[in-house]
């Protein structure tokens, strides 16, 4: 890129549009155009239907003429509304002049963009701006439209927001910002937020999202991957990139434009050099399962030098399921059957040429570390979790640091407490004297379950921070009649696993 500061300024919306944003925000809040207000007006079924791009239930629920019904029909349902009716709720002339609204027909106005309430952190009322008809991603088959459209908040966006580590930082980067949802979250705990996108319209929309939500403006930069930020470094990097593995790059909002999973790999590999020590980079990604290759080894090879990593595969689809999912996302199933078949063939040809048998989806978290031996955890966890997970992600890396600094002797000298909401389950035949096995299960965070022996279960059960691990094992040895030296020798590996997975925590 050229002069970044000049480029950033040129991408901002007109000052008038941003000036009107504060007044528009006040009007929206005054009419209870919020998540809670919509739930009260529409009811849960109609509200949920909107997230599926189904508008009929909401249309039925907004037949009146209250200010909130007017705003729902205008911004969420994209219905023309009489000018006089809108003027009772909004500074309509200013909104038309600034471009939020447009005159249509004789005496009606219509929304120029979708504005959708979003429940922010700490109960704040935020608003996400997106292109009309694009508020909930590809559910409406937007692929037939201009590829430069800007989507609103979908499941991927909220997943990334939920897993992001939230702590006060000096600088954060939202790479591929889209409608600005990640930048909006980051603005709550970062002194400076930079947002980039290949699509200049996305930067325009991001500025509107931030302004309408009452958040500080971001430094907006146009370009691909890390090109717009040169050698700048950050305490937090987040990205929900166009990760779809597809033949070609027909749709900018979702298709990476590189072969296979090269875009996600490149993004991860280049992030390490842009992280300050202790900083986090967090991504959503797709990756290929290639014939004759271990998918976990593939992902380990992506991790840049000087970074710890935690990679979680949440879902795997075979190539036919994957192709069908994204063909439907683009609305290709509604085109001519021969054209649909040709596009389906192209996807399978691409996968066959690359020997891809399946595609994985999940989360990648990097943490810049000065440790001599990086920790790289790659696992599959398709089970339900409790969002938000940001604190759980940070705790994972804190446990990595603890275990890296403590050998078995130090582990036995340590004091531990049982993590919150861990329960014990015993599995065995009814009436049996002893269970076949014991399972510890978390009811928070990752909601893990792990099998332990009776010593492990007993150890976890008495961890309250009072006694050292070694003293607890000595007491257990006395109870079960086992040599305490042998028990101390064989148990640290189990203790290490319980710490690693978050069932017990170092006291203090």
């Amino acid at each position: 890129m050229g002069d970044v500061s000049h480029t950033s300024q040129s991408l901002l919306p007109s000052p008038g549009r941003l000036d009107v944003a504060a007044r528009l925000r006040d009007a929206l809040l005054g009419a209870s155009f919020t998540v809670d207000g919509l739930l009260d007006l529409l009811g849960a079924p109609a509200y949920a239907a909107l997230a599926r791009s189904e508008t009929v239930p909401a249309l039925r629920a907004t037949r009146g003429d209250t200010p909130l019904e007017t705003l729902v029909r205008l911004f969420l349902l994209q219905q023309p509304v009489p000018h006089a009716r809108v003027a009772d709720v909004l500074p309509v002339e200013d909104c038309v002049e600034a471009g939020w609204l447009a005159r249509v027909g004789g005496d009606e106005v219509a929304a120029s963009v979708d504005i959708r309430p979003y429940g922010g952190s700490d109960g704040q009322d935020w608003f996400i701006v997106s292109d009309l008809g694009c508020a909930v991603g590809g559910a409406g088959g937007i692929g037939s439209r201009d590829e430069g459209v800007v989507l609103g908040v979908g499941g991927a966006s909220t997943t990334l927001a939920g897993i992001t580590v939230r702590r006060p930082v000096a600088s954060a980067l939202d790479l591929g910002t889209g409608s600005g949802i990640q930048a909006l979250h980051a603005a709550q705990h970062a002194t400076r937020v930079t947002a980039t996108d290949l699509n200049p319209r996305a930067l325009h929309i991001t500025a509107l999202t931030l302004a309408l939500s009452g958040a500080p403006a971001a430094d907006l930069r146009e370009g691909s991957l890390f090109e717009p930020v040169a050698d700048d470094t950050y305490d937090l990097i987040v990205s929900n990139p166009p990760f779809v593995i597809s033949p070609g790059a027909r749709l900018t909002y979702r298709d990476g434009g590189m072969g296979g999973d090269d875009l996600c790999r490149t993004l991860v590999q280049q992030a390490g050099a842009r992280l300050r020590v202790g900083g986090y980079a967090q991504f959503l990604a797709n990756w290929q399962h290639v014939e004759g290759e271990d998918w976990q080894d593939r992902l380990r090879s992506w991790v840049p030098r000087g970074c710890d990593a935690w990679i979680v595969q949440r879902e795997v689809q075979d190539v036919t399921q994957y192709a069908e999912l994204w063909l439907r996302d683009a609305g290709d199933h509604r085109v001519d059957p021969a054209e649909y078949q040709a596009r389906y063939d192209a996807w399978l040809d691409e996968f066959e040429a690359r020997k891809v048998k399946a595609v994985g989806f999940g989360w990648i978290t990097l943490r810049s570390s000065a440790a001599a031996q990086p920790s790289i955890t790659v696992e599959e966890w398709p089970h339900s979790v409790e969002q938000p997970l940001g604190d759980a992600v940070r705790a994972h890396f804190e446990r990595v640091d603890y275990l890296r600094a403590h050998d078995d002797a130090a582990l036995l000298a340590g004091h531990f407490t049982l993590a919150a909401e861990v329960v014990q389950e015993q599995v065995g035949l009814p009436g049996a004297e002893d269970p076949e096995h014991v399972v510890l299960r978390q009811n928070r965070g990752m909601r893990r379950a792990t099998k332990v022996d009776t010593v492990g279960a007993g150890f976890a059960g008495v961890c309250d921070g009072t006694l050292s691990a070694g003293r607890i094992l000595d007491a257990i040895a006395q109870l079960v009649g086992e040599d305490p030296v042998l028990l101390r020798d064989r148990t640290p590996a189990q203790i290490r696993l319980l710490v690693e997975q978050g069932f017990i925590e170092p006291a203090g």
Side-chain angles (χ1 to χ4, degrees), residues 125-350:
D125 291 311
W126 293 343
F127 300 97
I128 307 300
V129 181
S130 63
D131 277 318
L132 294 175
C134 301
V136 291
I142 67 171
S144 60
R145 298 174 51 183
D146 174 34
E147 65 174 19
V149 297
V150 178
L151 305 189
V153 175
S157 302
T158 55
T159 293
L160 179 59
I163 68 172
T164 298
V165 174
R166 303 294 175 195
R167 57 178 184 150
V169 295
S171 61
L173 170 64
D174 176 13
L175 193 151
T177 186
S179 63
I181 178 59
Q182 309 305 330
L184 180 55
H185 276 282
Q188 311 308 306
H189 61 100
T191 303
R192 177 173 61 88
V193 176
T194 301
T196 71
D197 207 289
L198 185 63
N199 179 6
R201 179 160 178 77
L203 298 169
H204 181 93
I205 292 289
T206 291
L208 299 180
T209 289
L210 294 172
L212 196 58
S213 297
D219 178 8
L220 304 175
R221 306 188 186 186
E222 181 184 352
S224 178
L225 296 175
F226 289 100
E227 177 202 4
V229 300
D231 296 325
D232 292 352
T233 57
Y234 300 89
D235 301 298
L236 173 66
I237 299 172
V238 291
S239 182
N240 176 18
F243 53 68
V244 177
I245 300 170
S246 63
R250 184 164 61 102
L251 303 174
T252 303
Y253 72 87
R254 68 166 205 194
D255 299 331
M258 296 185 182
D261 53 16
D262 283 356
L263 182 135
C264 291
R265 174 185 57 79
T266 301
L267 182 60
V268 173
Q269 289 179 335
Q270 293 183 355
R274 274 78 178 188
L275 277 180
R276 296 172 182 168
V277 174
Y280 289 88
Q282 299 186 260
F283 316 100
L284 301 185
N286 272 170
W287 44 78
Q288 298 172 149
H289 285 230
V290 180
E291 186 177 340
E293 179 180 329
D294 186 296
W295 69 270
Q296 294 182 325
D297 289 343
R298 180 182 189 85
L299 289 172
R300 287 188 185 95
S301 74
W302 291 9
V303 178
R305 185 174 299 178
C307 286
D308 297 322
W310 184 21
I311 301 172
V312 182
Q313 180 167 273
R314 294 288 289 156
E315 185 179 1
V316 182
Q317 291 183 312
D318 67 48
V319 292
T320 60
Q321 292 174 312
Y322 188 81
E324 290 163 13
L325 169 67
W326 294 109
L327 286 166
R328 289 194 181 96
D329 170 84
D332 290 334
H333 59 303
R334 298 172 181 161
V335 302
D336 177 74
E339 186 177 350
Y340 174 81
Q341 183 175 341
R343 288 179 177 172
Y344 200 152
D345 266 335
W347 283 73
L348 298 186
D349 285 345
E350 177 84 3

